[in-house]
């Protein structure tokens, strides 16, 4: 930048073409020049404007907002003669965002604010532009709006932006795109049949993993999808829906929805698909369908994605006498990592030797969810909302409750199924976009106030009803002037909003923060329909067909016993047994319903020469007794299942009582 030196040598001579003797002469010349900013000698840079005598050091010039052009003759301009952007008059009444950092700026060209020469509404901070230019280099530095490079770079060089002649920084990073060379190797079908697990891949066998031919980001073992050879085409459920959905063929005839008529659910479809590019109207229709299918994805697939976070194993030592407090202490511990795969071991406080017993993860998580549903953190009968519990707030239990729910869902726990639609909508769309209903009110007195106001038939009756609950309305901030009978509905809505939402605002925010564990809340907001089915609804009643398909046979089966087993399931479903379908599942797995993400490992049955059945909840294995007659088989099954569950229940009640 020095005014009295020229690049007279070749690039490899001197210092990048500046000869040593020329540098010494320039140092000697500059030693006699005083800086116009700091008043010290050594000011080698001078303003190129005619008759301007100002000289300055490079740092001082930056401080006084001089402009240095890193092109051509590397001209320098002082703060009085620097080039400016000539902008035609325009009515910019409001601030506009910097198109790089998105912070709002006043659209007036100054030293620190620049406008794109090719896009009139593109404004930038000078600092943002300089950082981007250094990172992008001459080959990738361009307008952020229209991608123009020639006109854009010429103007930015004129305004003093340094554009280094190098490749982009992201292109120079070693192994920057290494992950693109990795093959996806995991079986994602709902029921993987491979004993070695979903990640097992044995080439040239039925356990070789075949990737989706469309997206390449889902896979299946050949045997798990009944593929005879690797050459057969296979698409994952998501891509198959896009390719073959007949509804889509009809939808192409209609125009895409107008943005002015979009509701909350439509807003969820705005995220573009990573698999489909928007190059044509047909591609846009495909993209819309892809996004719709995304919202309606199967919950097990969504939870499986979250399960990818789970890495190394950790063992939880649970006090059998107090599962809830024991789990609470572990989850509150700063060393606990939710992304570790959970293994459970039970400890008995009466065992002086401290021996541990292997426990079932599904049983453990089921106990936690049952306790949570019946805890004082929630109120209501079937569909529950958050309660206001000052002690729970003090102990931060609402956060822990949200955290437990998130951990349970990702780690294979049961469907909670007790959320009210109001609580769910608050989580997905926000409290401000949710209107509670009378069923959300569990407080008898408040419900009576609402019913009294709602049944008022004239203004005199309404005024009388308001007077009866005047103190409550004043205390809650719902008291307002009533001018007509229809105003009662606004008053009722205010009471509902206060009691169900505003009153528990602090617990809700704490609960919401807990649900962010492992990214669960984000998935709930992305796939509301999928999560509503497990958070707001209890699982469907188990049937003989469901249980028969759920359990797989791992050992060489006894044909007669398997016939007895299927007959027994039909008997239980028909109500001709003392046990229920849920009892059978609890006996074998510790869980009364099928978890949304499925059982891991898959439930299995084996036939053994013994008198009574046994259930191994750690392995989800049910051992069936080999008997001579079906009557003996049913009696032994009923006796074992009924008494085992009764003893476990009595033991649990004993601990709770203590």
């Amino acid at each position: 930048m020095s005014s009295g030196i020229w690049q007279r040598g070749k690039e490899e001579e001197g210092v990048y073409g500046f000869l040593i003797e020329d540098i010494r002469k320039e140092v000697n010349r500059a030693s006699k020049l005083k800086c116009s900013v700091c008043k010290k000698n050594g000011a080698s840079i001078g303003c190129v404007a005619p008759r301007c005598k100002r000289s300055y050091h490079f740092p001082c010039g930056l401080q006084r907002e001089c402009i240095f052009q890193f092109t051509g003759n590397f001209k320098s301009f002082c703060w009085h003669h620097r080039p400016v952007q000539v902008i035609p008059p325009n009515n910019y009444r409001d601030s506009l965002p910097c198109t790089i950092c998105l912070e709002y700026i006043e659209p007036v060209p100054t030293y620190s604010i620049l406008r794109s020469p090719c896009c009139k509404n593109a404004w930038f901070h000078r600092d943002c532009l300089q950082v981007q230019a250094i990172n992008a280099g001459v080959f990738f530095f361009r307008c952020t709006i229209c991608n123009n490079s020639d006109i854009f770079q010429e103007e930015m060089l004129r305004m003093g932006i340094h554009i280094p002649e190098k490749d982009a920084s992201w292109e120079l990073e070693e192994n920057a795109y290494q992950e693109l060379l990795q093959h996806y190797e995991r079986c994602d079908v709902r029921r993987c049949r491979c004993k070695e697990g979903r990640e097992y891949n044995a080439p040239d066998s039925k356990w070789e993993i075949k990737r989706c031919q469309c997206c390449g980001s889902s896979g299946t073992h050949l045997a798990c999808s009944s593929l005879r050879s690797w050459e057969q085409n296979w698409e994952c459920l998501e891509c198959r829906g896009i390719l073959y959905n007949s509804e889509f063929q009809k939808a192409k005839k209609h125009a895409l929805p107008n943005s002015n008529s979009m509701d909350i659910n439509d807003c969820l479809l705005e995220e573009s698909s990573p698999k489909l590019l928007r190059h044509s109207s047909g591609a846009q229709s495909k993209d819309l369908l892809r996004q719709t299918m995304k919202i309606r994805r199967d919950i097990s697939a969504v939870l499986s994605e979250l399960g990818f976070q789970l890495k190394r194993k950790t063992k939880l030592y649970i006090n059998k006498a107090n599962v809830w407090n024991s789990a609470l202490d572990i989850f509150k511990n700063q060393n606990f990592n939710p992304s570790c795969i959970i293994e459970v071991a039970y400890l008995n406080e009466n065992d002086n030797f401290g021996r541990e017993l292997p426990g079932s993860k599904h049983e453990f998580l089921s106990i936690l969810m049952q306790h949570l549903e019946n805890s004082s953190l929630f109120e209501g009968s079937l569909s529950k909302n958050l309660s206001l519990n000052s002690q729970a707030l003090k102990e931060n239990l609402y956060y822990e409750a949200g955290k437990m729910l998130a951990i349970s869902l990702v780690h294979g726990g049961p469907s909670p199924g007790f959320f009210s639609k109001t609580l769910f909508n608050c989580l997905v769309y926000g409290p401000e976009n949710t209107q509670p209903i009378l069923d959300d009110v569990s407080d008898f007195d408040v419900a009576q106030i609402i019913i009294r106001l709602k049944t008022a038939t004239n203004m005199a009756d309404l005024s009388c009803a308001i007077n009866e609950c005047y103190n409550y309305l004043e205390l809650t901030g719902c008291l307002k002037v009533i001018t007509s009978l229809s105003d009662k509905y606004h008053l009722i809505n205010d009471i509902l909003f206060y009691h169900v939402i505003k009153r528990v605002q602090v617990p809700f925010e704490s609960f919401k923060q807990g649900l962010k564990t492992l990214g669960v809340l984000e998935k709930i907001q992305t796939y509301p329909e999928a999560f509503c089915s497990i958070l707001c609804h209890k699982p469907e009643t188990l049937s003989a067909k469901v249980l028969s398909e759920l359990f797989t046979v791992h050992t060489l089966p006894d044909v007669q016993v398997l016939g007895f087993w299927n007959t027994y399931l039909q008997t239980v479903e028909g109500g001709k047994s003392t046990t229920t379908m849920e009892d059978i599942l609890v006996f074998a797995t510790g869980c009364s319903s099928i978890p949304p993400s499925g059982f891991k490992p898959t439930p299995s049955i084996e036939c053994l020469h013994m008198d009574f059945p046994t259930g191994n909840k750690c392995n989800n294995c049910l051992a069936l007794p080999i008997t001579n007659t079906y009557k003996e088989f049913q009696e032994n099954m009923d006796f074992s299942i009924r008494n085992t569950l009764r003893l476990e229940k009595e033991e649990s009640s004993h601990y709770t009582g203590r």
Side-chain angles (χ1 to χ4, degrees), residues 449 453 463-480:
I449 290 174
L453 293 170
S463 298
C464 181
I466 292 174
N467 288 332
E468 291 173 5
C469 58
Y470 184 89
N471 291 336
Y472 173 80
L473 295 177
E474 187 178 36
L475 182 66
T476 59
C478 297
L479 190 63
K480 58 171 61 179

mmCIF file of all heavy atoms in Angstrom, residues 449 453 463-480:
data_model
loop_
_atom_site.group_PDB
_atom_site.id
_atom_site.type_symbol
_atom_site.label_atom_id
_atom_site.label_comp_id
_atom_site.label_asym_id
_atom_site.label_seq_id
_atom_site.Cartn_x
_atom_site.Cartn_y
_atom_site.Cartn_z
ATOM 1 N N ILE A 449 -67.650 -22.144 38.286
ATOM 2 C CA ILE A 449 -67.726 -20.733 37.901
ATOM 3 C C ILE A 449 -67.970 -20.609 36.402
ATOM 4 O O ILE A 449 -68.813 -19.829 35.947
ATOM 5 C CB ILE A 449 -66.423 -20.000 38.301
ATOM 6 C CG1 ILE A 449 -66.341 -19.864 39.827
ATOM 7 C CG2 ILE A 449 -66.331 -18.631 37.635
ATOM 8 C CD1 ILE A 449 -65.026 -19.290 40.321
ATOM 9 N N LEU A 453 -71.329 -19.086 34.505
ATOM 10 C CA LEU A 453 -71.286 -17.979 33.546
ATOM 11 C C LEU A 453 -71.861 -18.406 32.194
ATOM 12 O O LEU A 453 -72.575 -17.636 31.533
ATOM 13 C CB LEU A 453 -69.844 -17.496 33.365
ATOM 14 C CG LEU A 453 -69.193 -16.817 34.575
ATOM 15 C CD1 LEU A 453 -67.701 -16.619 34.330
ATOM 16 C CD2 LEU A 453 -69.861 -15.457 34.854
ATOM 17 N N SER A 463 -74.792 -10.699 35.283
ATOM 18 C CA SER A 463 -74.245 -9.781 36.291
ATOM 19 C C SER A 463 -74.240 -10.425 37.667
ATOM 20 O O SER A 463 -73.291 -10.266 38.446
ATOM 21 C CB SER A 463 -75.062 -8.482 36.319
ATOM 22 O OG SER A 463 -74.986 -7.823 35.077
ATOM 23 N N CYS A 464 -75.306 -11.157 37.963
ATOM 24 C CA CYS A 464 -75.388 -11.860 39.249
ATOM 25 C C CYS A 464 -74.289 -12.916 39.353
ATOM 26 O O CYS A 464 -73.644 -13.053 40.396
ATOM 27 C CB CYS A 464 -76.768 -12.501 39.388
ATOM 28 S SG CYS A 464 -77.011 -13.381 40.961
ATOM 29 N N ALA A 465 -74.054 -13.640 38.249
ATOM 30 C CA ALA A 465 -73.012 -14.674 38.244
ATOM 31 C C ALA A 465 -71.629 -14.052 38.427
ATOM 32 O O ALA A 465 -70.777 -14.599 39.125
ATOM 33 C CB ALA A 465 -73.077 -15.459 36.937
ATOM 34 N N ILE A 466 -71.416 -12.899 37.802
ATOM 35 C CA ILE A 466 -70.118 -12.220 37.934
ATOM 36 C C ILE A 466 -69.911 -11.737 39.363
ATOM 37 O O ILE A 466 -68.806 -11.835 39.921
ATOM 38 C CB ILE A 466 -70.024 -11.049 36.933
ATOM 39 C CG1 ILE A 466 -69.966 -11.592 35.503
ATOM 40 C CG2 ILE A 466 -68.808 -10.170 37.216
ATOM 41 C CD1 ILE A 466 -70.007 -10.521 34.432
ATOM 42 N N ASN A 467 -70.948 -11.229 39.978
ATOM 43 C CA ASN A 467 -70.840 -10.769 41.364
ATOM 44 C C ASN A 467 -70.501 -11.921 42.308
ATOM 45 O O ASN A 467 -69.776 -11.747 43.298
ATOM 46 C CB ASN A 467 -72.146 -10.095 41.795
ATOM 47 C CG ASN A 467 -72.329 -8.741 41.127
ATOM 48 O OD1 ASN A 467 -71.351 -8.078 40.792
ATOM 49 N ND2 ASN A 467 -73.581 -8.331 40.926
ATOM 50 N N GLU A 468 -71.046 -13.102 42.008
ATOM 51 C CA GLU A 468 -70.792 -14.266 42.860
ATOM 52 C C GLU A 468 -69.310 -14.669 42.853
ATOM 53 O O GLU A 468 -68.793 -15.176 43.845
ATOM 54 C CB GLU A 468 -71.652 -15.449 42.389
ATOM 55 C CG GLU A 468 -73.137 -15.252 42.642
ATOM 56 C CD GLU A 468 -73.971 -16.363 42.003
ATOM 57 O OE1 GLU A 468 -73.366 -17.319 41.454
ATOM 58 O OE2 GLU A 468 -75.214 -16.278 42.037
ATOM 59 N N CYS A 469 -68.651 -14.469 41.712
ATOM 60 C CA CYS A 469 -67.235 -14.853 41.620
ATOM 61 C C CYS A 469 -66.348 -13.631 41.424
ATOM 62 O O CYS A 469 -65.272 -13.723 40.805
ATOM 63 C CB CYS A 469 -67.028 -15.870 40.500
ATOM 64 S SG CYS A 469 -67.568 -15.278 38.868
ATOM 65 N N TYR A 470 -66.781 -12.494 41.942
ATOM 66 C CA TYR A 470 -66.064 -11.227 41.737
ATOM 67 C C TYR A 470 -64.627 -11.308 42.246
ATOM 68 O O TYR A 470 -63.683 -10.894 41.559
ATOM 69 C CB TYR A 470 -66.820 -10.096 42.440
ATOM 70 C CG TYR A 470 -66.213 -8.726 42.214
ATOM 71 C CD1 TYR A 470 -66.608 -7.943 41.124
ATOM 72 C CD2 TYR A 470 -65.245 -8.222 43.082
ATOM 73 C CE1 TYR A 470 -66.051 -6.693 40.905
ATOM 74 C CE2 TYR A 470 -64.680 -6.976 42.870
ATOM 75 C CZ TYR A 470 -65.085 -6.209 41.783
ATOM 76 O OH TYR A 470 -64.519 -4.978 41.568
ATOM 77 N N ASN A 471 -64.446 -11.839 43.436
ATOM 78 C CA ASN A 471 -63.102 -11.905 44.030
ATOM 79 C C ASN A 471 -62.160 -12.754 43.184
ATOM 80 O O ASN A 471 -60.985 -12.406 42.990
ATOM 81 C CB ASN A 471 -63.176 -12.464 45.455
ATOM 82 C CG ASN A 471 -63.857 -11.506 46.404
ATOM 83 O OD1 ASN A 471 -63.880 -10.293 46.168
ATOM 84 N ND2 ASN A 471 -64.430 -12.040 47.478
ATOM 85 N N TYR A 472 -62.676 -13.866 42.665
ATOM 86 C CA TYR A 472 -61.837 -14.739 41.835
ATOM 87 C C TYR A 472 -61.445 -14.038 40.541
ATOM 88 O O TYR A 472 -60.285 -14.077 40.112
ATOM 89 C CB TYR A 472 -62.583 -16.038 41.524
ATOM 90 C CG TYR A 472 -61.858 -16.923 40.530
ATOM 91 C CD1 TYR A 472 -60.797 -17.730 40.927
ATOM 92 C CD2 TYR A 472 -62.211 -16.914 39.175
ATOM 93 C CE1 TYR A 472 -60.116 -18.519 40.011
ATOM 94 C CE2 TYR A 472 -61.541 -17.707 38.252
ATOM 95 C CZ TYR A 472 -60.496 -18.507 38.680
ATOM 96 O OH TYR A 472 -59.822 -19.275 37.772
ATOM 97 N N LEU A 473 -62.419 -13.379 39.897
ATOM 98 C CA LEU A 473 -62.135 -12.689 38.637
ATOM 99 C C LEU A 473 -61.137 -11.560 38.834
ATOM 100 O O LEU A 473 -60.250 -11.335 37.997
ATOM 101 C CB LEU A 473 -63.429 -12.147 38.030
ATOM 102 C CG LEU A 473 -64.464 -13.187 37.596
ATOM 103 C CD1 LEU A 473 -65.734 -12.505 37.087
ATOM 104 C CD2 LEU A 473 -63.897 -14.093 36.515
ATOM 105 N N GLU A 474 -61.280 -10.863 39.963
ATOM 106 C CA GLU A 474 -60.352 -9.760 40.244
ATOM 107 C C GLU A 474 -58.945 -10.292 40.514
ATOM 108 O O GLU A 474 -57.949 -9.732 40.047
ATOM 109 C CB GLU A 474 -60.860 -8.961 41.446
ATOM 110 C CG GLU A 474 -60.058 -7.703 41.721
ATOM 111 C CD GLU A 474 -60.620 -6.911 42.879
ATOM 112 O OE1 GLU A 474 -61.103 -7.549 43.856
ATOM 113 O OE2 GLU A 474 -60.581 -5.676 42.838
ATOM 114 N N LEU A 475 -58.867 -11.382 41.248
ATOM 115 C CA LEU A 475 -57.570 -11.966 41.600
ATOM 116 C C LEU A 475 -56.834 -12.485 40.365
ATOM 117 O O LEU A 475 -55.609 -12.355 40.256
ATOM 118 C CB LEU A 475 -57.772 -13.110 42.606
ATOM 119 C CG LEU A 475 -56.509 -13.799 43.117
ATOM 120 C CD1 LEU A 475 -55.671 -12.829 43.949
ATOM 121 C CD2 LEU A 475 -56.871 -15.021 43.962
ATOM 122 N N THR A 476 -57.561 -13.053 39.420
ATOM 123 C CA THR A 476 -56.928 -13.638 38.237
ATOM 124 C C THR A 476 -56.746 -12.641 37.098
ATOM 125 O O THR A 476 -56.162 -12.990 36.068
ATOM 126 C CB THR A 476 -57.775 -14.823 37.724
ATOM 127 O OG1 THR A 476 -59.095 -14.355 37.404
ATOM 128 C CG2 THR A 476 -57.858 -15.918 38.768
ATOM 129 N N GLY A 477 -57.237 -11.423 37.266
ATOM 130 C CA GLY A 477 -57.094 -10.421 36.221
ATOM 131 C C GLY A 477 -58.063 -10.599 35.076
ATOM 132 O O GLY A 477 -57.848 -10.058 33.984
ATOM 133 N N CYS A 478 -59.135 -11.359 35.298
ATOM 134 C CA CYS A 478 -60.113 -11.621 34.236
ATOM 135 C C CYS A 478 -61.330 -10.700 34.313
ATOM 136 O O CYS A 478 -62.210 -10.765 33.455
ATOM 137 C CB CYS A 478 -60.582 -13.078 34.297
ATOM 138 S SG CYS A 478 -59.264 -14.276 34.016
ATOM 139 N N LEU A 479 -61.391 -9.864 35.339
ATOM 140 C CA LEU A 479 -62.550 -8.989 35.515
ATOM 141 C C LEU A 479 -62.573 -7.937 34.410
ATOM 142 O O LEU A 479 -61.568 -7.264 34.157
ATOM 143 C CB LEU A 479 -62.479 -8.314 36.891
ATOM 144 C CG LEU A 479 -63.727 -7.550 37.338
ATOM 145 C CD1 LEU A 479 -64.918 -8.502 37.470
ATOM 146 C CD2 LEU A 479 -63.457 -6.838 38.657
ATOM 147 N N LYS A 480 -63.685 -7.815 33.732
ATOM 148 C CA LYS A 480 -63.804 -6.846 32.639
ATOM 149 C C LYS A 480 -65.229 -6.325 32.567
ATOM 150 O O LYS A 480 -66.172 -6.917 33.130
ATOM 151 C CB LYS A 480 -63.405 -7.480 31.315
ATOM 152 C CG LYS A 480 -64.225 -8.703 30.932
ATOM 153 C CD LYS A 480 -63.919 -9.146 29.513
ATOM 154 C CE LYS A 480 -62.465 -9.511 29.374
ATOM 155 N NZ LYS A 480 -62.145 -9.981 28.000
#
